[in-house]
Each structure stands twice: as C-alpha cells, then as structure tokens.
Amino acid sequence: MQNLIIESALYTDLPVLQVLLEFLVQDGDTESELKAQQASLVSLLLQPELGDILVARDEGQIVGMVSVLYNFATDHDKAAALLENFVTDPRVSGQGVKFQLIQTAVMHAKQRGCAHISLITDAIKRAVALNKSDQDTQAVKIAGPVPLSQLLND
C-alpha cells in the first residue's frame, strides 16, 4: 500500500473503529462483549493518558487499528504497554498493513518509555476462556508463544 498512513485515531473515527471491532467477534462472543469493547474505544479517545488508538489509513479510509494501553510492569519496574484490538479490514489482507501497524505501535510505546510490550490476540483470549470453562485441555497450547511473523501474516 503506497498511501498508507499510521496515525492516532480521532473521535470522529469512532463509527469506523466500532465496525472494525466486529471483525474480531468470534463464535461465542456475546453482543454485550462487543458493546463493551466498543465502549472502551470511547474511553481511550476521551482519556489519552490511558492509551492510544492507532489507525491505518489508505487514501483517507481506515483499514486497520490497534489499541495501545499504558500501564506499569511490576516485574520490570517500568512503564509497559498492552496492544489489543489489533485488526485490519479483510480487504487489505496480505498488503503489509498489520506489519506497519504493529511497528508503529511498538515505536509509539517505546517513545512513552515502555520497557515491556505485550500483545493480546483472540487466540489467547479463546484459550483463557476455554481454560476457565475446563472444556479443552489443549487450551494451554493455543496460548503458548506465537511468532510475531505468524501474527503479522496478513
């Protein structure tokens, strides 16, 4: 994508961001879970000290996003970041949007002094849910380390 720009989301982007979140909805997710995720976007946009929402724009249209949440890593005694809501529009699959989003998110977090950066994916969320319900003893394998290249394989 030649015209891809990664930048902070604006409040006026909210409707498009909420639609993007729908691509993350998995079987078993409830409408209330989706609404809670969508409400969290509002919180982040109105309280930038909590984190940032970065968007990928191609010719002005939002084609991807990632939320960068700021906190503190007790094991490092330094600022930390948690990356979640990492999603792209399926129409841009394979065009490097995820790679540029994650690269910018990491740079953003480092500029804020974050020494530790974690990425939450739906595979990990599903594994945790399975472990809680005790339905699948293989859940731990799902939540194991995943190569970054696999996560970026869009």
Side-chain angles (χ1 to χ4, degrees):
M1 306 202 107
Q2 296 175 351
N3 299 318
L4 193 69
I5 296 171
I6 310 293
E7 61 186 3
S8 293
L10 305 171
Y11 193 82
T12 54
D13 296 327
L14 188 58
V16 178
L17 301 179
Q18 291 174 326
V19 170
L20 271 178
L21 278 182
E22 292 178 14
F23 291 123
L24 291 177
V25 174
Q26 301 292 319
D27 291 335
D29 284 348
T30 66
E31 185 70 22
S32 64
E33 289 171 320
L34 177 61
K35 288 193 184 302
Q37 283 185 312
Q38 291 172 335
S40 73
L41 296 178
V42 174
S43 296
L44 284 174
L45 290 168
L46 294 177
Q47 301 174 75
E49 67 277 6
L50 297 177
D52 296 304
I53 300 172
L54 300 177
V55 294
R57 294 183 199 272
D58 181 39
E59 297 184 15
Q61 301 296 312
I62 295 175
V63 295
M65 67 177 274
V66 62
S67 297
V68 185
L69 310 176
Y70 301 112
N71 56 34
F72 190 80
T74 56
D75 58 337
H76 294 288
D77 194 31
K78 294 189 179 184
L82 176 66
L83 309 181
E84 68 174 5
N85 297 332
F86 182 40
V87 61
T88 57
D89 186 313
R91 293 176 290 190
V92 298
S93 180
Q95 297 180 40
V97 176
K98 284 183 180 178
F99 179 79
Q100 290 184 52
L101 264 172
I102 203 81
Q103 196 173 40
T104 304
V106 168
M107 182 184 68
H108 219 72
K110 285 182 177 182
Q111 287 173 346
R112 293 271 305 245
C114 296
H116 184 78
I117 302 168
S118 299
L119 172 65
I120 297 291
T121 67
D122 283 338
I124 293 170
K125 287 180 184 177
R126 284 192 302 274
V128 169
L130 287 171
N131 260 349
K132 283 182 181 176
S133 65
D134 234 6
Q135 293 176 358
D136 187 350
T137 57
Q138 299 299 316
V140 174
K141 290 182 182 177
I142 296 170
V146 177
L148 188 56
S149 59
Q150 182 180 342
L151 294 172
L152 298 176
N153 185 13
D154 64 334

